[in-house]
Amino acid sequence: MTSARIHELSSHAGHPVTVRGWVAHTRSSGKIAFVILRDGTGLLQGVLSKKELPAELWERFGQLTQETSIALTGTVRAEPRAPGGYEMHVSDLVVLGPSPDFPIQPKEHGTQYLFEHRHLWLRSRRQVAIARVRHEVVQAIRDFFHERGFTLVDTPILTGAIGEQAGELFSTDYFDLGKAYLAQTGQLYVEAAAAALGKVYCFGPTFRAEKSKTRRHLTEFWMVEPEVAWNDSDDNMRLQEEFVSYIVARALERRAEDLKELERDTAPLERVRPPFPRISYTDAVERLRGLGSDMEWGQDLGGDDETLLAQEYDRPVFVFNYPKGVKAFYMKENPADPRTVLNDDCLAPEGYGEIIGGSQREDDYDRLLARIREQGLDPEAYRWYLDLRRYGTFVHSGFGLGVERTVAWICGIPHIRETIAFP
Ligand code: NSS
């Protein structure tokens, strides 16, 4: 017997076929019974007729519980009213694996309970929809850079130098060589690669030992980080708005069904097109104070400030040129106002806040060394990084986009922990 996945059924219409999957739902009138089968590629409605089937097989139907794995054999035909659009006239049903008392029932479970059963919760329609959107976002990221002539450079996860913030490092013993850190970023390495290949990106898991239990923070998350030789801060923001618009358009185009399953209002996503509005940090502080925030020049924008400011715009917004004091050592000093650096954060609308942090990099050897010392970092650990400024220094910029925050925004879900299979 030919076996098929549900998404391939259109090419099997009118012919007998076997489909394996898990029971999502059953109902019976006593004479006619329905089983909704889920195989990860779609939904199939199986129809069983008591008078056409052996008694023993009809009884087997009666024993099906949620998530039992089964093989259904029969003839399929298009049926627009059936979930998934296909219906099978069932001639055989084999139970492959029973599922007594599946822990997740179609009722309200608390968040903690669901995360304790994450391995099973992944099968729910909502979680499957989120996983598909995430997949599309990741694929769009790779396509965007590939189409534009970027080279992927994989950067280390065990590293010797601090990439972002000393306070947020996971460290581990590294033989007799002291401590190694789990990468907070691949940026320093892609800067080296940009001098070799011009346009590069890295894409992998990154780690922050942040205790902040917010809906925007994970300790392990995925970040994509392009780095481009000869791009200044302006070019960098242009690349970001093209990139974000590309990802959103792809999700809208190819994952419409999943967004519908998630009940996402797509109108705000349709507006995500370049150019994005830009506001300097200094103007943003003014604006925020006008909106009732008590933040002062020199402080970083908190989550609430980001939400408040982003509400003023109908698409993502760039806040650029932050005070040096709240940003990382590698950002280039702003020649027009040395209190600030040439950086930007891209804030998503609808309360999602920062999805990108980017900057032009400090390309002056002496200034960079001074910044490393100021921040109490060990210049010896950054010798190779400083070399990039000794041998053919170059204007360059890049940014990091957090995959989970982007997926949460596109899906319109409140917490980023649902956007990764095992947070
Ligand atoms: O710390 S960032 O703002 N910037 C960097 O790591 C730079 N080295 C990137 C670069 O220029 N190459 O983080 C960038 C993004 C940020 O905007 C978020 O979207 C995401 O990474 N991010 C996080 N997502 C989830 N959880 C946590 N804890 C987190 N931290 C940053």
Side-chain angles (χ1 to χ4, degrees):
M1 179 59 62
T2 320
S3 66
R5 309 257 169 191
I6 293 171
H7 75 135
E8 309 162 336
L9 286 178
S10 62
S11 58
H12 295 271
H15 300 285
V17 64
T18 298
V19 178
R20 286 165 297 181
W22 294 264
V23 172
H25 189 65
T26 56
R27 77 194 142 85
S28 171
S29 72
K31 290 185 187 129
I32 299 282
F34 298 90
V35 51
I36 307 296
L37 191 71
R38 170 187 75 67
D39 79 343
T41 74
L43 293 175
L44 171 65
Q45 173 164 285
V47 185
L48 295 83
S49 157
K50 188 174 181 181
K51 70 173 192 297
E52 288 174 19
L53 294 171
E56 185 258 339
L57 200 152
W58 180 258
E59 264 164 42
R60 230 179 282 156
F61 166 84
Q63 287 155 15
L64 297 183
T65 54
Q66 192 190 334
E67 294 305 315
T68 302
S69 53
I70 60 172
L72 282 184
T73 301
T75 315
V76 290
R77 63 180 180 89
E79 170 50 71
R81 285 168 304 176
Y86 279 86
E87 192 170 76
M88 176 187 275
H89 193 79
V90 175
S91 57
D92 197 12
L93 181 167
V94 179
V95 173
L96 304 172
S99 170
D101 305 323
F102 189 68
I104 299 174
Q105 294 293 320
K107 62 164 193 176
E108 277 294 308
H109 292 289
T111 308
Q112 190 186 338
Y113 180 88
L114 288 171
F115 274 103
E116 282 164 7
H117 297 85
R118 182 63 173 167
H119 54 295
L120 302 174
W121 185 26
L122 287 180
R123 303 180 189 189
S124 78
R125 289 172 73 142
R126 174 183 157 90
Q127 297 305 314
V128 165
I130 296 170
R132 289 214 189 91
V133 173
R134 179 185 173 106
H135 168 78
E136 197 65 50
V137 166
V138 168
Q139 194 59 44
I141 288 170
R142 297 200 182 281
D143 290 345
F144 179 87
F145 290 118
H146 184 72
E147 285 163 13
R148 282 161 186 74
F150 284 65
T151 302
L152 172 70
V153 175
D154 298 312
T155 52
I157 287 175
L158 285 172
T159 68
I162 297 166
E164 288 290 328
Q165 295 238 301
E168 299 169 358
L169 284 169
F170 285 107
S171 69
T172 180
D173 292 329
Y174 197 74
F175 307 114
D176 54 355
L177 294 170
K179 293 281 179 209
Y181 307 109
L182 292 186
Q184 296 177 314
T185 169
Q187 180 196 322
L188 308 194
Y189 302 97
V190 280
E191 284 187 54
L197 293 150
K199 297 192 279 185
V200 296
Y201 74 104
C202 63
F203 192 7
T206 37
F207 305 86
R208 306 270 164 108
E210 291 181 278
K211 283 242 175 75
S212 40
K213 275 201 166 178
T214 80
R215 60 198 189 87
R216 296 174 184 179
H217 289 89
L218 293 171
T219 51
E220 177 176 352
F221 63 98
W222 279 63
M223 180 160 55
V224 55
E225 297 181 87
E227 192 70 31
V228 185
W230 316 117
N231 265 13
D232 64 15
S233 190
D234 253 11
D235 302 326
N236 198 28
M237 285 188 263
R238 266 198 295 277
L239 183 63
Q240 289 165 51
E241 63 197 10
E242 267 182 45
F243 179 51
V244 170
S245 305
Y246 180 98
I247 295 171
V248 170
R250 262 284 283 276
L252 286 172
E253 184 193 314
R254 301 205 190 162
R255 299 271 60 112
E257 263 183 47
D258 296 309
L259 295 174
K260 202 169 148 205
E261 173 67 40
L262 295 165
E263 294 171 5
R264 176 62 159 120
D265 172 12
T266 53
L269 297 177
E270 307 278 356
R271 288 194 289 270
V272 179
R273 299 219 180 97
F276 297 171
R278 300 179 184 193
I279 180 170
S280 73
Y281 167 88
T282 302
D283 290 346
V285 173
E286 281 285 297
R287 190 78 174 260
L288 280 166
R289 293 182 66 89
L291 293 168
S293 165
D294 56 3
M295 83 162 294
E296 305 210 9
W297 200 98
Q299 296 172 343
D300 205 353
L301 265 64
D304 292 343
D305 294 316
E306 288 179 4
T307 299
L308 197 59
L309 185 66
Q311 271 167 3
E312 300 287 291
Y313 304 91
D314 73 344
R315 63 189 76 195
V317 53
F318 291 119
V319 183
F320 62 91
N321 297 3
Y322 281 62
K324 232 187 231 173
V326 295
K327 289 293 170 186
F329 68 94
Y330 52 72
M331 295 186 181
K332 187 171 177 60
E333 187 177 286
N334 177 8
D337 178 1
R339 297 177 307 161
T340 63
V341 285
L342 296 177
N343 80 308
D344 70 86
D345 282 354
C346 179
L347 312 182
E350 303 174 82
Y352 285 91
E354 183 198 323
I355 52 169
I356 289 182
S359 63
Q360 189 171 332
R361 317 309 189 184
E362 185 55 78
D363 47 20
D364 180 88
Y365 182 92
D366 295 319
R367 282 212 188 93
L368 182 59
L369 180 59
R371 289 278 283 154
I372 287 171
R373 291 209 168 110
E374 257 168 51
Q375 302 220 349
L377 300 168
D378 173 15
E380 193 47 37
Y382 295 90
R383 197 163 43 149
W384 67 268
Y385 185 65
L386 286 157
D387 269 358
L388 308 177
R389 282 75 182 165
R390 284 178 60 186
Y391 303 107
T393 194
F394 59 119
V395 168
H396 61 294
S397 302
F399 62 88
L401 171 127
V403 168
E404 288 75 16
R405 288 189 190 178
T406 305
V407 174
W409 164 47
I410 292 176
C411 289
I413 58 176
H415 202 299
I416 72 169
R417 66 192 161 192
E418 276 183 64
T419 65
I420 186 163
F422 296 100

